[in-house]
Amino acid sequence: MSRKPIVLHEHQTYEATDDFDIGLFLETHNVKLPGMPEEYMGRPQCLAIDSTLTASYYIGASWLVEQELPVVVLPKIPDLDYTEMFVSALSVESSKEADYFSKCYSIDFDRPPVETTENLSFLTPLLLIHYITILERLVRNGLRKDYVTITENLKNKIKGRPVISQQIKKNIIYRRTDRNVCSYQVYTVDIPANRLLKRALLFARTMLIKLLPSGKRTGELQSRINKLTGVFAGVSDNIEIQAVKQCGASKLFKNYAQAVRIAKDILLRYDYSLSKISNENHLTPCFWIDMSRLFELYVYSKLREAYGENIRFQVQGYQKTAVDFIHTGERLVMDAKYKPQYENSYAGILSDIREISGYSRDLYILENFGRDFMSSDEEVKCLIIYPQNACGDPSGDGDDDVPATDGLNEFLTSGPSLWNQATTMKYFRNFRKLRISLPTIV
């Protein structure tokens, strides 16, 4: 029997208790906590908790010691509306952003689930919204068709080839001379892969009704699911569990691969049974969400909404580096930092400043601003976008010189200049910061 989960918030350090020496426990089981993945956007081990038992940007549930010591990491910003963030993050429809989003989270059904009373309900909307979005993109090119073999006991006709063994058992023994068991092929959308997708879609609809609070976004999702259900009208949802496990995506239909994978995750989440969908499911599969990446995608969706094609995402630089965004119109280099402390403090930001300064000198990135800029000596403007400090911590030394605007998210609907809406940073030239409020559950 496992111990109760260790519960942390992002960047929180575990406080040892007298009755449990976690360091000794981990040492006894030969567990070394690795911290952040070495590879960029690599898969975190143990939610990227480091040797000091300090959490990182990853939230979720996992095991420090398999089946003996679980851990849960919760978000640092309270009452976040994950549904809104996921919908916004997935609103940009290019394959590049969709692929980036797919690397922002992972669910591991092969490991034992974690039993917890913590509110991890954001896992279900994540799967649900991602699946609906991927499915919408898939059906734009039409559902995949293939040949399916049908065996049927036909009356007064023969189609395809007779199935002798079944003909004897079903007809000849009973002297049904007007019947013929035949096997034939039809070219149809009612194939195993599409049945799997429809079955998961029905699960998604049921989850939406049972698990998400009513609201504008819920109504929009219901409408989107209803449209998808209409597209799958000619597809059965009758598929055996074994067929689900064996169902794969054809190499000729690469757009099916991600949809099939997520459909399997949804069905596995509830053990293939609609009756097991419940608000009180405390057995949570091991999973992680990279909150810093989710924040990047949320900011990107809002920037694109306001400035359209002027905004470019994950612009590649020298030696496999990449800056979060650039604004080709205003010639800005921008980075999203999921750090609410930017609101009131400059503590610990030098590494961020150096990182973004490097992007602003990278010729691979700057060439996106045009030849005239490349041939000039103009200094690049750098902008840091950060979340509003929901905790309202007044500490720090962030007494900035010129607060350009008090309006959170004002850049979404207003003005011509993103730069002029930002706040100057008094210690650094041509650096400004802009806060963005995150959606919250009211």
Side-chain angles (χ1 to χ4, degrees), residues 329-363:
E330 295 189 47
R331 290 170 169 171
L332 302 179
V333 167
M334 302 179 287
D335 221 46
K337 295 300 180 186
Y338 182 60
K339 298 178 180 180
Q341 66 264 31
Y342 267 100
E343 180 84 5
N344 302 301
S345 174
Y346 287 113
I349 71 167
L350 278 179
S351 60
D352 294 343
I353 298 296
R354 289 167 180 157
E355 175 193 354
I356 301 169
S357 296
Y359 295 144
S360 71
R361 298 294 183 270
D362 192 314
L363 295 179

PDB file of all heavy atoms in Angstrom, residues 329-363:
ATOM      1  N   GLY A 329       6.078  43.634 -37.770  1.00  0.00           N
ATOM      2  CA  GLY A 329       5.690  45.013 -38.044  1.00  0.00           C
ATOM      3  C   GLY A 329       6.436  46.015 -37.180  1.00  0.00           C
ATOM      4  O   GLY A 329       7.009  46.987 -37.674  1.00  0.00           O
ATOM      5  N   GLU A 330       6.441  45.761 -35.864  1.00  0.00           N
ATOM      6  CA  GLU A 330       7.132  46.664 -34.937  1.00  0.00           C
ATOM      7  C   GLU A 330       8.574  46.245 -34.697  1.00  0.00           C
ATOM      8  O   GLU A 330       9.312  46.921 -33.989  1.00  0.00           O
ATOM      9  CB  GLU A 330       6.382  46.704 -33.592  1.00  0.00           C
ATOM     10  CG  GLU A 330       4.996  47.310 -33.676  1.00  0.00           C
ATOM     11  CD  GLU A 330       4.387  47.522 -32.303  1.00  0.00           C
ATOM     12  OE1 GLU A 330       5.082  48.070 -31.411  1.00  0.00           O
ATOM     13  OE2 GLU A 330       3.222  47.125 -32.117  1.00  0.00           O
ATOM     14  N   ARG A 331       8.957  45.122 -35.267  1.00  0.00           N
ATOM     15  CA  ARG A 331      10.316  44.596 -35.118  1.00  0.00           C
ATOM     16  C   ARG A 331      10.677  44.411 -33.647  1.00  0.00           C
ATOM     17  O   ARG A 331      11.622  44.991 -33.118  1.00  0.00           O
ATOM     18  CB  ARG A 331      11.320  45.500 -35.822  1.00  0.00           C
ATOM     19  CG  ARG A 331      11.166  45.423 -37.344  1.00  0.00           C
ATOM     20  CD  ARG A 331      11.973  46.464 -38.077  1.00  0.00           C
ATOM     21  NE  ARG A 331      11.987  46.181 -39.519  1.00  0.00           N
ATOM     22  CZ  ARG A 331      12.476  47.017 -40.434  1.00  0.00           C
ATOM     23  NH1 ARG A 331      12.981  48.186 -40.054  1.00  0.00           N
ATOM     24  NH2 ARG A 331      12.454  46.702 -41.716  1.00  0.00           N
ATOM     25  N   LEU A 332       9.865  43.585 -33.005  1.00  0.00           N
ATOM     26  CA  LEU A 332      10.050  43.272 -31.590  1.00  0.00           C
ATOM     27  C   LEU A 332      10.470  41.821 -31.449  1.00  0.00           C
ATOM     28  O   LEU A 332       9.978  40.940 -32.163  1.00  0.00           O
ATOM     29  CB  LEU A 332       8.748  43.475 -30.811  1.00  0.00           C
ATOM     30  CG  LEU A 332       8.083  44.851 -30.819  1.00  0.00           C
ATOM     31  CD1 LEU A 332       6.800  44.795 -29.997  1.00  0.00           C
ATOM     32  CD2 LEU A 332       9.024  45.903 -30.265  1.00  0.00           C
ATOM     33  N   VAL A 333      11.368  41.572 -30.506  1.00  0.00           N
ATOM     34  CA  VAL A 333      11.685  40.215 -30.069  1.00  0.00           C
ATOM     35  C   VAL A 333      10.987  40.024 -28.724  1.00  0.00           C
ATOM     36  O   VAL A 333      11.193  40.807 -27.793  1.00  0.00           O
ATOM     37  CB  VAL A 333      13.208  40.019 -29.920  1.00  0.00           C
ATOM     38  CG1 VAL A 333      13.513  38.728 -29.173  1.00  0.00           C
ATOM     39  CG2 VAL A 333      13.869  39.994 -31.295  1.00  0.00           C
ATOM     40  N   MET A 334      10.138  38.985 -28.633  1.00  0.00           N
ATOM     41  CA  MET A 334       9.282  38.830 -27.452  1.00  0.00           C
ATOM     42  C   MET A 334       9.421  37.433 -26.869  1.00  0.00           C
ATOM     43  O   MET A 334       9.544  36.450 -27.607  1.00  0.00           O
ATOM     44  CB  MET A 334       7.816  39.084 -27.831  1.00  0.00           C
ATOM     45  CG  MET A 334       7.555  40.454 -28.424  1.00  0.00           C
ATOM     46  SD  MET A 334       5.811  40.681 -28.883  1.00  0.00           S
ATOM     47  CE  MET A 334       5.704  39.637 -30.334  1.00  0.00           C
ATOM     48  N   ASP A 335       9.385  37.366 -25.565  1.00  0.00           N
ATOM     49  CA  ASP A 335       9.443  36.081 -24.876  1.00  0.00           C
ATOM     50  C   ASP A 335       8.373  36.052 -23.795  1.00  0.00           C
ATOM     51  O   ASP A 335       8.172  37.045 -23.071  1.00  0.00           O
ATOM     52  CB  ASP A 335      10.828  35.873 -24.246  1.00  0.00           C
ATOM     53  CG  ASP A 335      11.316  34.440 -24.433  1.00  0.00           C
ATOM     54  OD1 ASP A 335      11.204  33.923 -25.552  1.00  0.00           O
ATOM     55  OD2 ASP A 335      11.811  33.855 -23.464  1.00  0.00           O
ATOM     56  N   ALA A 336       7.665  34.926 -23.688  1.00  0.00           N
ATOM     57  CA  ALA A 336       6.674  34.747 -22.632  1.00  0.00           C
ATOM     58  C   ALA A 336       7.337  34.084 -21.437  1.00  0.00           C
ATOM     59  O   ALA A 336       7.961  33.034 -21.577  1.00  0.00           O
ATOM     60  CB  ALA A 336       5.519  33.888 -23.143  1.00  0.00           C
ATOM     61  N   LYS A 337       7.212  34.700 -20.292  1.00  0.00           N
ATOM     62  CA  LYS A 337       7.787  34.156 -19.065  1.00  0.00           C
ATOM     63  C   LYS A 337       6.669  33.902 -18.058  1.00  0.00           C
ATOM     64  O   LYS A 337       6.005  34.836 -17.621  1.00  0.00           O
ATOM     65  CB  LYS A 337       8.812  35.131 -18.471  1.00  0.00           C
ATOM     66  CG  LYS A 337      10.041  35.354 -19.348  1.00  0.00           C
ATOM     67  CD  LYS A 337      10.806  34.067 -19.593  1.00  0.00           C
ATOM     68  CE  LYS A 337      12.040  34.276 -20.461  1.00  0.00           C
ATOM     69  NZ  LYS A 337      12.698  32.992 -20.804  1.00  0.00           N
ATOM     70  N   TYR A 338       6.493  32.642 -17.731  1.00  0.00           N
ATOM     71  CA  TYR A 338       5.427  32.264 -16.799  1.00  0.00           C
ATOM     72  C   TYR A 338       5.895  32.521 -15.366  1.00  0.00           C
ATOM     73  O   TYR A 338       6.115  31.614 -14.572  1.00  0.00           O
ATOM     74  CB  TYR A 338       5.090  30.789 -17.016  1.00  0.00           C
ATOM     75  CG  TYR A 338       3.968  30.248 -16.174  1.00  0.00           C
ATOM     76  CD1 TYR A 338       2.688  30.774 -16.248  1.00  0.00           C
ATOM     77  CD2 TYR A 338       4.196  29.191 -15.307  1.00  0.00           C
ATOM     78  CE1 TYR A 338       1.664  30.271 -15.471  1.00  0.00           C
ATOM     79  CE2 TYR A 338       3.180  28.663 -14.526  1.00  0.00           C
ATOM     80  CZ  TYR A 338       1.917  29.212 -14.612  1.00  0.00           C
ATOM     81  OH  TYR A 338       0.907  28.700 -13.831  1.00  0.00           O
ATOM     82  N   LYS A 339       6.096  33.816 -15.090  1.00  0.00           N
ATOM     83  CA  LYS A 339       6.659  34.228 -13.799  1.00  0.00           C
ATOM     84  C   LYS A 339       5.906  35.454 -13.289  1.00  0.00           C
ATOM     85  O   LYS A 339       6.236  36.587 -13.649  1.00  0.00           O
ATOM     86  CB  LYS A 339       8.144  34.555 -13.948  1.00  0.00           C
ATOM     87  CG  LYS A 339       9.006  33.380 -14.399  1.00  0.00           C
ATOM     88  CD  LYS A 339      10.456  33.789 -14.561  1.00  0.00           C
ATOM     89  CE  LYS A 339      11.322  32.610 -15.010  1.00  0.00           C
ATOM     90  NZ  LYS A 339      12.740  32.992 -15.166  1.00  0.00           N
ATOM     91  N   PRO A 340       4.908  35.254 -12.432  1.00  0.00           N
ATOM     92  CA  PRO A 340       4.141  36.388 -11.917  1.00  0.00           C
ATOM     93  C   PRO A 340       4.983  37.398 -11.143  1.00  0.00           C
ATOM     94  O   PRO A 340       4.575  38.554 -10.987  1.00  0.00           O
ATOM     95  CB  PRO A 340       3.112  35.718 -10.987  1.00  0.00           C
ATOM     96  CG  PRO A 340       3.017  34.312 -11.465  1.00  0.00           C
ATOM     97  CD  PRO A 340       4.384  33.964 -11.973  1.00  0.00           C
ATOM     98  N   GLN A 341       6.184  37.003 -10.665  1.00  0.00           N
ATOM     99  CA  GLN A 341       6.995  37.931  -9.888  1.00  0.00           C
ATOM    100  C   GLN A 341       7.461  39.138 -10.692  1.00  0.00           C
ATOM    101  O   GLN A 341       7.928  40.129 -10.125  1.00  0.00           O
ATOM    102  CB  GLN A 341       8.204  37.222  -9.253  1.00  0.00           C
ATOM    103  CG  GLN A 341       9.229  36.688 -10.243  1.00  0.00           C
ATOM    104  CD  GLN A 341       9.011  35.241 -10.549  1.00  0.00           C
ATOM    105  OE1 GLN A 341       7.864  34.759 -10.533  1.00  0.00           O
ATOM    106  NE2 GLN A 341      10.079  34.505 -10.835  1.00  0.00           N
ATOM    107  N   TYR A 342       7.375  39.064 -12.021  1.00  0.00           N
ATOM    108  CA  TYR A 342       7.731  40.221 -12.837  1.00  0.00           C
ATOM    109  C   TYR A 342       6.870  41.431 -12.499  1.00  0.00           C
ATOM    110  O   TYR A 342       7.250  42.565 -12.780  1.00  0.00           O
ATOM    111  CB  TYR A 342       7.569  39.893 -14.328  1.00  0.00           C
ATOM    112  CG  TYR A 342       8.839  39.400 -14.972  1.00  0.00           C
ATOM    113  CD1 TYR A 342       9.048  38.033 -15.184  1.00  0.00           C
ATOM    114  CD2 TYR A 342       9.827  40.275 -15.379  1.00  0.00           C
ATOM    115  CE1 TYR A 342      10.210  37.573 -15.773  1.00  0.00           C
ATOM    116  CE2 TYR A 342      10.991  39.823 -15.969  1.00  0.00           C
ATOM    117  CZ  TYR A 342      11.179  38.469 -16.171  1.00  0.00           C
ATOM    118  OH  TYR A 342      12.335  38.018 -16.755  1.00  0.00           O
ATOM    119  N   GLU A 343       5.723  41.191 -11.900  1.00  0.00           N
ATOM    120  CA  GLU A 343       4.832  42.288 -11.533  1.00  0.00           C
ATOM    121  C   GLU A 343       5.490  43.259 -10.557  1.00  0.00           C
ATOM    122  O   GLU A 343       5.343  44.472 -10.669  1.00  0.00           O
ATOM    123  CB  GLU A 343       3.557  41.707 -10.899  1.00  0.00           C
ATOM    124  CG  GLU A 343       2.528  42.727 -10.473  1.00  0.00           C
ATOM    125  CD  GLU A 343       1.641  43.146 -11.637  1.00  0.00           C
ATOM    126  OE1 GLU A 343       1.767  42.589 -12.737  1.00  0.00           O
ATOM    127  OE2 GLU A 343       0.831  44.048 -11.433  1.00  0.00           O
ATOM    128  N   ASN A 344       6.249  42.724  -9.595  1.00  0.00           N
ATOM    129  CA  ASN A 344       6.735  43.558  -8.504  1.00  0.00           C
ATOM    130  C   ASN A 344       8.225  43.456  -8.225  1.00  0.00           C
ATOM    131  O   ASN A 344       8.713  44.124  -7.322  1.00  0.00           O
ATOM    132  CB  ASN A 344       5.994  43.178  -7.201  1.00  0.00           C
ATOM    133  CG  ASN A 344       4.499  43.331  -7.323  1.00  0.00           C
ATOM    134  OD1 ASN A 344       4.011  44.411  -7.606  1.00  0.00           O
ATOM    135  ND2 ASN A 344       3.765  42.241  -7.153  1.00  0.00           N
ATOM    136  N   SER A 345       8.934  42.614  -8.962  1.00  0.00           N
ATOM    137  CA  SER A 345      10.321  42.388  -8.575  1.00  0.00           C
ATOM    138  C   SER A 345      11.204  42.119  -9.779  1.00  0.00           C
ATOM    139  O   SER A 345      10.757  41.574 -10.790  1.00  0.00           O
ATOM    140  CB  SER A 345      10.390  41.192  -7.605  1.00  0.00           C
ATOM    141  OG  SER A 345      11.726  40.865  -7.312  1.00  0.00           O
ATOM    142  N   TYR A 346      12.485  42.504  -9.638  1.00  0.00           N
ATOM    143  CA  TYR A 346      13.497  42.177 -10.634  1.00  0.00           C
ATOM    144  C   TYR A 346      14.401  41.040 -10.161  1.00  0.00           C
ATOM    145  O   TYR A 346      15.389  40.707 -10.822  1.00  0.00           O
ATOM    146  CB  TYR A 346      14.361  43.404 -10.942  1.00  0.00           C
ATOM    147  CG  TYR A 346      13.649  44.444 -11.765  1.00  0.00           C
ATOM    148  CD1 TYR A 346      13.338  45.685 -11.229  1.00  0.00           C
ATOM    149  CD2 TYR A 346      13.292  44.184 -13.072  1.00  0.00           C
ATOM    150  CE1 TYR A 346      12.684  46.643 -11.980  1.00  0.00           C
ATOM    151  CE2 TYR A 346      12.645  45.137 -13.837  1.00  0.00           C
ATOM    152  CZ  TYR A 346      12.344  46.374 -13.287  1.00  0.00           C
ATOM    153  OH  TYR A 346      11.695  47.307 -14.043  1.00  0.00           O
ATOM    154  N   ALA A 347      14.067  40.478  -9.021  1.00  0.00           N
ATOM    155  CA  ALA A 347      14.920  39.432  -8.458  1.00  0.00           C
ATOM    156  C   ALA A 347      14.952  38.213  -9.374  1.00  0.00           C
ATOM    157  O   ALA A 347      13.920  37.708  -9.808  1.00  0.00           O
ATOM    158  CB  ALA A 347      14.404  39.026  -7.071  1.00  0.00           C
ATOM    159  N   GLY A 348      16.142  37.747  -9.689  1.00  0.00           N
ATOM    160  CA  GLY A 348      16.319  36.516 -10.438  1.00  0.00           C
ATOM    161  C   GLY A 348      15.973  36.582 -11.910  1.00  0.00           C
ATOM    162  O   GLY A 348      15.746  35.545 -12.543  1.00  0.00           O
ATOM    163  N   ILE A 349      15.966  37.798 -12.501  1.00  0.00           N
ATOM    164  CA  ILE A 349      15.574  37.890 -13.907  1.00  0.00           C
ATOM    165  C   ILE A 349      16.764  38.056 -14.856  1.00  0.00           C
ATOM    166  O   ILE A 349      16.582  38.084 -16.073  1.00  0.00           O
ATOM    167  CB  ILE A 349      14.593  39.059 -14.140  1.00  0.00           C
ATOM    168  CG1 ILE A 349      15.317  40.407 -14.002  1.00  0.00           C
ATOM    169  CG2 ILE A 349      13.405  38.958 -13.220  1.00  0.00           C
ATOM    170  CD1 ILE A 349      14.510  41.572 -14.524  1.00  0.00           C
ATOM    171  N   LEU A 350      17.984  38.166 -14.317  1.00  0.00           N
ATOM    172  CA  LEU A 350      19.136  38.435 -15.183  1.00  0.00           C
ATOM    173  C   LEU A 350      19.324  37.357 -16.250  1.00  0.00           C
ATOM    174  O   LEU A 350      19.686  37.652 -17.395  1.00  0.00           O
ATOM    175  CB  LEU A 350      20.410  38.563 -14.338  1.00  0.00           C
ATOM    176  CG  LEU A 350      20.641  39.934 -13.693  1.00  0.00           C
ATOM    177  CD1 LEU A 350      21.919  39.915 -12.871  1.00  0.00           C
ATOM    178  CD2 LEU A 350      20.711  41.028 -14.747  1.00  0.00           C
ATOM    179  N   SER A 351      19.072  36.106 -15.891  1.00  0.00           N
ATOM    180  CA  SER A 351      19.223  35.042 -16.880  1.00  0.00           C
ATOM    181  C   SER A 351      18.227  35.219 -18.021  1.00  0.00           C
ATOM    182  O   SER A 351      18.552  34.953 -19.187  1.00  0.00           O
ATOM    183  CB  SER A 351      19.048  33.668 -16.226  1.00  0.00           C
ATOM    184  OG  SER A 351      17.756  33.548 -15.651  1.00  0.00           O
ATOM    185  N   ASP A 352      17.014  35.690 -17.693  1.00  0.00           N
ATOM    186  CA  ASP A 352      16.016  35.953 -18.741  1.00  0.00           C
ATOM    187  C   ASP A 352      16.471  37.089 -19.654  1.00  0.00           C
ATOM    188  O   ASP A 352      16.331  37.015 -20.878  1.00  0.00           O
ATOM    189  CB  ASP A 352      14.668  36.315 -18.116  1.00  0.00           C
ATOM    190  CG  ASP A 352      14.050  35.169 -17.348  1.00  0.00           C
ATOM    191  OD1 ASP A 352      14.484  34.015 -17.554  1.00  0.00           O
ATOM    192  OD2 ASP A 352      13.141  35.411 -16.540  1.00  0.00           O
ATOM    193  N   ILE A 353      17.003  38.153 -19.043  1.00  0.00           N
ATOM    194  CA  ILE A 353      17.468  39.304 -19.821  1.00  0.00           C
ATOM    195  C   ILE A 353      18.591  38.889 -20.775  1.00  0.00           C
ATOM    196  O   ILE A 353      18.602  39.271 -21.953  1.00  0.00           O
ATOM    197  CB  ILE A 353      17.947  40.430 -18.887  1.00  0.00           C
ATOM    198  CG1 ILE A 353      16.788  40.921 -18.000  1.00  0.00           C
ATOM    199  CG2 ILE A 353      18.543  41.581 -19.683  1.00  0.00           C
ATOM    200  CD1 ILE A 353      15.651  41.556 -18.756  1.00  0.00           C
ATOM    201  N   ARG A 354      19.518  38.100 -20.275  1.00  0.00           N
ATOM    202  CA  ARG A 354      20.632  37.641 -21.115  1.00  0.00           C
ATOM    203  C   ARG A 354      20.133  36.731 -22.244  1.00  0.00           C
ATOM    204  O   ARG A 354      20.613  36.811 -23.385  1.00  0.00           O
ATOM    205  CB  ARG A 354      21.661  36.912 -20.253  1.00  0.00           C
ATOM    206  CG  ARG A 354      22.441  37.857 -19.329  1.00  0.00           C
ATOM    207  CD  ARG A 354      23.218  37.108 -18.290  1.00  0.00           C
ATOM    208  NE  ARG A 354      23.958  38.022 -17.425  1.00  0.00           N
ATOM    209  CZ  ARG A 354      24.365  37.732 -16.192  1.00  0.00           C
ATOM    210  NH1 ARG A 354      24.093  36.537 -15.686  1.00  0.00           N
ATOM    211  NH2 ARG A 354      25.032  38.616 -15.474  1.00  0.00           N
ATOM    212  N   GLU A 355      19.181  35.874 -21.930  1.00  0.00           N
ATOM    213  CA  GLU A 355      18.626  34.978 -22.948  1.00  0.00           C
ATOM    214  C   GLU A 355      17.977  35.779 -24.081  1.00  0.00           C
ATOM    215  O   GLU A 355      18.257  35.555 -25.263  1.00  0.00           O
ATOM    216  CB  GLU A 355      17.588  34.051 -22.312  1.00  0.00           C
ATOM    217  CG  GLU A 355      16.873  33.159 -23.318  1.00  0.00           C
ATOM    218  CD  GLU A 355      15.646  32.487 -22.713  1.00  0.00           C
ATOM    219  OE1 GLU A 355      15.411  32.631 -21.489  1.00  0.00           O
ATOM    220  OE2 GLU A 355      14.915  31.838 -23.481  1.00  0.00           O
ATOM    221  N   ILE A 356      17.127  36.739 -23.722  1.00  0.00           N
ATOM    222  CA  ILE A 356      16.406  37.516 -24.736  1.00  0.00           C
ATOM    223  C   ILE A 356      17.361  38.450 -25.474  1.00  0.00           C
ATOM    224  O   ILE A 356      17.206  38.686 -26.675  1.00  0.00           O
ATOM    225  CB  ILE A 356      15.247  38.294 -24.075  1.00  0.00           C
ATOM    226  CG1 ILE A 356      14.294  37.302 -23.389  1.00  0.00           C
ATOM    227  CG2 ILE A 356      14.487  39.127 -25.101  1.00  0.00           C
ATOM    228  CD1 ILE A 356      13.278  37.938 -22.489  1.00  0.00           C
ATOM    229  N   SER A 357      18.377  38.967 -24.774  1.00  0.00           N
ATOM    230  CA  SER A 357      19.391  39.790 -25.436  1.00  0.00           C
ATOM    231  C   SER A 357      20.104  38.983 -26.512  1.00  0.00           C
ATOM    232  O   SER A 357      20.436  39.498 -27.588  1.00  0.00           O
ATOM    233  CB  SER A 357      20.404  40.315 -24.419  1.00  0.00           C
ATOM    234  OG  SER A 357      19.795  41.181 -23.496  1.00  0.00           O
ATOM    235  N   GLY A 358      20.343  37.706 -26.218  1.00  0.00           N
ATOM    236  CA  GLY A 358      20.973  36.837 -27.216  1.00  0.00           C
ATOM    237  C   GLY A 358      20.099  36.677 -28.454  1.00  0.00           C
ATOM    238  O   GLY A 358      20.584  36.725 -29.588  1.00  0.00           O
ATOM    239  N   TYR A 359      18.783  36.519 -28.234  1.00  0.00           N
ATOM    240  CA  TYR A 359      17.871  36.425 -29.373  1.00  0.00           C
ATOM    241  C   TYR A 359      17.910  37.700 -30.217  1.00  0.00           C
ATOM    242  O   TYR A 359      17.830  37.656 -31.441  1.00  0.00           O
ATOM    243  CB  TYR A 359      16.439  36.199 -28.895  1.00  0.00           C
ATOM    244  CG  TYR A 359      16.200  34.891 -28.185  1.00  0.00           C
ATOM    245  CD1 TYR A 359      15.310  34.806 -27.104  1.00  0.00           C
ATOM    246  CD2 TYR A 359      16.838  33.717 -28.593  1.00  0.00           C
ATOM    247  CE1 TYR A 359      15.073  33.607 -26.454  1.00  0.00           C
ATOM    248  CE2 TYR A 359      16.605  32.517 -27.945  1.00  0.00           C
ATOM    249  CZ  TYR A 359      15.729  32.462 -26.868  1.00  0.00           C
ATOM    250  OH  TYR A 359      15.500  31.275 -26.225  1.00  0.00           O
ATOM    251  N   SER A 360      18.032  38.845 -29.546  1.00  0.00           N
ATOM    252  CA  SER A 360      17.989  40.122 -30.264  1.00  0.00           C
ATOM    253  C   SER A 360      19.273  40.401 -31.043  1.00  0.00           C
ATOM    254  O   SER A 360      19.356  41.400 -31.766  1.00  0.00           O
ATOM    255  CB  SER A 360      17.737  41.266 -29.266  1.00  0.00           C
ATOM    256  OG  SER A 360      18.875  41.482 -28.448  1.00  0.00           O
ATOM    257  N   ARG A 361      20.270  39.536 -30.902  1.00  0.00           N
ATOM    258  CA  ARG A 361      21.514  39.671 -31.669  1.00  0.00           C
ATOM    259  C   ARG A 361      21.698  38.502 -32.641  1.00  0.00           C
ATOM    260  O   ARG A 361      22.712  38.414 -33.312  1.00  0.00           O
ATOM    261  CB  ARG A 361      22.728  39.732 -30.723  1.00  0.00           C
ATOM    262  CG  ARG A 361      22.731  40.917 -29.765  1.00  0.00           C
ATOM    263  CD  ARG A 361      22.884  42.241 -30.518  1.00  0.00           C
ATOM    264  NE  ARG A 361      22.957  43.368 -29.604  1.00  0.00           N
ATOM    265  CZ  ARG A 361      21.905  44.048 -29.175  1.00  0.00           C
ATOM    266  NH1 ARG A 361      20.684  43.702 -29.556  1.00  0.00           N
ATOM    267  NH2 ARG A 361      22.052  45.075 -28.371  1.00  0.00           N
ATOM    268  N   ASP A 362      20.731  37.611 -32.677  1.00  0.00           N
ATOM    269  CA  ASP A 362      20.835  36.403 -33.495  1.00  0.00           C
ATOM    270  C   ASP A 362      20.438  36.730 -34.936  1.00  0.00           C
ATOM    271  O   ASP A 362      19.284  37.078 -35.215  1.00  0.00           O
ATOM    272  CB  ASP A 362      19.910  35.330 -32.919  1.00  0.00           C
ATOM    273  CG  ASP A 362      20.157  33.956 -33.517  1.00  0.00           C
ATOM    274  OD1 ASP A 362      20.283  33.865 -34.757  1.00  0.00           O
ATOM    275  OD2 ASP A 362      20.194  32.971 -32.755  1.00  0.00           O
ATOM    276  N   LEU A 363      21.377  36.580 -35.863  1.00  0.00           N
ATOM    277  CA  LEU A 363      21.118  36.961 -37.252  1.00  0.00           C
ATOM    278  C   LEU A 363      20.056  36.079 -37.907  1.00  0.00           C
ATOM    279  O   LEU A 363      19.329  36.538 -38.793  1.00  0.00           O
ATOM    280  CB  LEU A 363      22.420  36.891 -38.055  1.00  0.00           C
ATOM    281  CG  LEU A 363      23.518  37.886 -37.644  1.00  0.00           C
ATOM    282  CD1 LEU A 363      24.758  37.692 -38.501  1.00  0.00           C
ATOM    283  CD2 LEU A 363      23.016  39.326 -37.756  1.00  0.00           C
TER     284      LEU A 363
END
